[in-house]
Amino acid sequence: MNENIAKTRLGNYVREQREKRKLTQEKLGELTELSTVTISAIERGVKAPSFESLCALIKVLNLDARRIFPYDPGNLGDHEEAYRCFCEMGKGMRSDQLNSLMSFVNRMQR
Protein backbone atom coordinates (compact mmCIF):
# COMPACT_ATOMS: atom_id res chain seq x y z
CA MET A 1 0.00 0.00 0.00
CA ASN A 2 1.49 3.35 -0.93
CA GLU A 3 1.53 6.36 1.37
CA ASN A 4 -1.30 8.21 -0.39
CA ILE A 5 -3.64 5.23 -0.15
CA ALA A 6 -2.76 4.79 3.53
CA LYS A 7 -3.45 8.48 4.27
CA THR A 8 -6.76 8.32 2.40
CA ARG A 9 -7.87 5.17 4.25
CA LEU A 10 -6.93 6.65 7.61
CA GLY A 11 -8.69 9.91 6.77
CA ASN A 12 -11.85 8.12 5.73
CA TYR A 13 -11.80 6.06 8.93
CA VAL A 14 -11.30 9.14 11.13
CA ARG A 15 -14.17 10.96 9.36
CA GLU A 16 -16.43 7.90 9.64
CA GLN A 17 -15.78 7.54 13.37
CA ARG A 18 -16.12 11.29 14.01
CA GLU A 19 -19.46 11.39 12.23
CA LYS A 20 -20.62 8.20 13.96
CA ARG A 21 -20.06 10.01 17.28
CA LYS A 22 -21.87 13.08 15.91
CA LEU A 23 -18.84 15.31 16.43
CA THR A 24 -18.00 18.30 14.27
CA GLN A 25 -14.42 18.87 13.20
CA GLU A 26 -14.39 21.82 15.58
CA LYS A 27 -15.48 19.70 18.55
CA LEU A 28 -12.99 16.95 17.66
CA GLY A 29 -10.34 19.66 17.50
CA GLU A 30 -11.19 20.82 21.01
CA LEU A 31 -11.10 17.26 22.36
CA THR A 32 -7.79 16.38 20.67
CA GLU A 33 -6.17 19.83 20.84
CA LEU A 34 -5.76 19.77 17.05
CA SER A 35 -6.78 22.57 14.73
CA THR A 36 -9.80 22.21 12.50
CA VAL A 37 -7.46 22.73 9.54
CA THR A 38 -5.34 19.75 10.66
CA ILE A 39 -8.36 17.51 11.19
CA SER A 40 -9.74 18.45 7.78
CA ALA A 41 -6.38 17.70 6.11
CA ILE A 42 -6.17 14.31 7.86
CA GLU A 43 -9.74 13.40 6.88
CA ARG A 44 -9.10 14.36 3.25
CA GLY A 45 -5.92 12.27 3.18
CA VAL A 46 -3.81 15.33 2.46
CA LYS A 47 -1.80 15.05 5.67
CA ALA A 48 -0.68 12.16 7.82
CA PRO A 49 -1.08 12.82 11.55
CA SER A 50 1.97 13.05 13.77
CA PHE A 51 2.41 10.34 16.38
CA GLU A 52 0.97 12.62 19.08
CA SER A 53 -2.00 13.57 16.88
CA LEU A 54 -2.68 9.94 16.01
CA CYS A 55 -2.61 8.99 19.71
CA ALA A 56 -5.08 11.79 20.50
CA LEU A 57 -7.42 10.65 17.69
CA ILE A 58 -7.21 7.01 18.81
CA LYS A 59 -8.03 8.01 22.39
CA VAL A 60 -10.87 10.45 21.68
CA LEU A 61 -12.54 8.43 18.90
CA ASN A 62 -11.68 5.04 20.41
CA LEU A 63 -10.23 3.97 17.07
CA ASP A 64 -9.40 0.32 16.38
CA ALA A 65 -5.63 0.20 15.92
CA ARG A 66 -6.00 -2.87 13.68
CA ARG A 67 -7.97 -0.76 11.18
CA ILE A 68 -5.22 1.84 11.19
CA PHE A 69 -2.33 -0.63 10.88
CA PRO A 70 -3.67 -3.85 9.40
CA TYR A 71 -1.52 -6.77 10.43
CA ASP A 72 -2.09 -10.36 9.44
CA PRO A 73 0.69 -12.67 10.65
CA GLY A 74 -0.33 -15.15 7.96
CA ASN A 75 0.32 -12.65 5.18
CA LEU A 76 3.95 -11.58 4.81
CA GLY A 77 3.00 -8.73 2.49
CA ASP A 78 0.78 -7.12 5.12
CA HIS A 79 3.49 -7.66 7.72
CA GLU A 80 6.10 -5.94 5.58
CA GLU A 81 3.77 -3.02 4.89
CA ALA A 82 2.96 -2.64 8.59
CA TYR A 83 6.69 -2.79 9.39
CA ARG A 84 7.44 -0.06 6.84
CA CYS A 85 4.64 2.07 8.26
CA PHE A 86 5.97 1.71 11.82
CA CYS A 87 9.51 2.52 10.68
CA GLU A 88 8.27 5.64 8.91
CA MET A 89 6.38 6.73 12.03
CA GLY A 90 9.50 6.12 14.12
CA LYS A 91 11.65 8.62 12.25
CA GLY A 92 12.53 11.54 14.46
CA MET A 93 10.70 10.20 17.52
CA ARG A 94 12.03 10.56 21.02
CA SER A 95 12.80 7.35 22.91
CA ASP A 96 9.62 7.62 25.01
CA GLN A 97 7.55 7.91 21.84
CA LEU A 98 9.31 4.91 20.31
CA ASN A 99 8.64 2.93 23.48
CA SER A 100 4.94 3.84 23.24
CA LEU A 101 4.90 2.79 19.59
CA MET A 102 6.56 -0.54 20.38
CA SER A 103 4.08 -1.15 23.21
CA PHE A 104 1.29 -0.45 20.73
CA VAL A 105 2.78 -2.93 18.24
CA ASN A 106 3.12 -5.59 20.90
CA ARG A 107 -0.52 -5.20 21.96
CA MET A 108 -1.63 -5.57 18.33
CA GLN A 109 0.21 -8.86 17.95
CA ARG A 110 -1.59 -10.52 20.87
Side-chain angles (χ1 to χ4, degrees):
M1 175 185 328
N2 75 33
E3 183 179 341
N4 290 331
I5 292 171
K7 287 191 293 190
T8 299
R9 284 186 180 173
L10 174 61
N12 289 337
Y13 181 48
V14 168
R15 179 184 301 111
E16 169 190 303
Q17 295 304 305
R18 175 183 59 78
E19 291 174 347
K20 180 178 175 182
R21 287 160 181 77
K22 299 186 182 343
L23 295 173
T24 63
Q25 289 181 341
E26 292 79 12
K27 184 62 178 176
L28 181 58
E30 289 173 26
L31 296 170
T32 58
E33 299 182 1
L34 300 174
S35 73
T36 305
V37 171
T38 297
I39 291 171
S40 175
I42 291 169
E43 287 187 355
R44 289 180 288 122
V46 173
K47 176 180 180 172
S50 68
F51 179 71
E52 289 85 1
S53 298
L54 182 60
C55 288
L57 290 166
I58 288 171
K59 181 179 178 182
V60 169
L61 295 174
N62 194 28
L63 301 179
D64 181 352
R66 290 169 294 203
R67 287 243 352 234
I68 297 170
F69 302 108
Y71 172 74
D72 177 1
N75 184 330
L76 185 59
D78 285 349
H79 176 71
E80 288 177 0
E81 187 59 37
Y83 178 76
R84 271 191 231 95
C85 186
F86 291 127
C87 288
E88 188 62 33
M89 283 184 65
K91 289 181 182 175
M93 285 186 182
R94 299 183 316 260
S95 63
D96 62 321
Q97 293 172 318
L98 282 170
N99 288 337
S100 293
L101 180 59
M102 290 312 299
S103 174
F104 175 78
V105 171
N106 289 331
R107 283 193 309 272
M108 279 182 54
Q109 292 179 339
R110 291 184 191 145

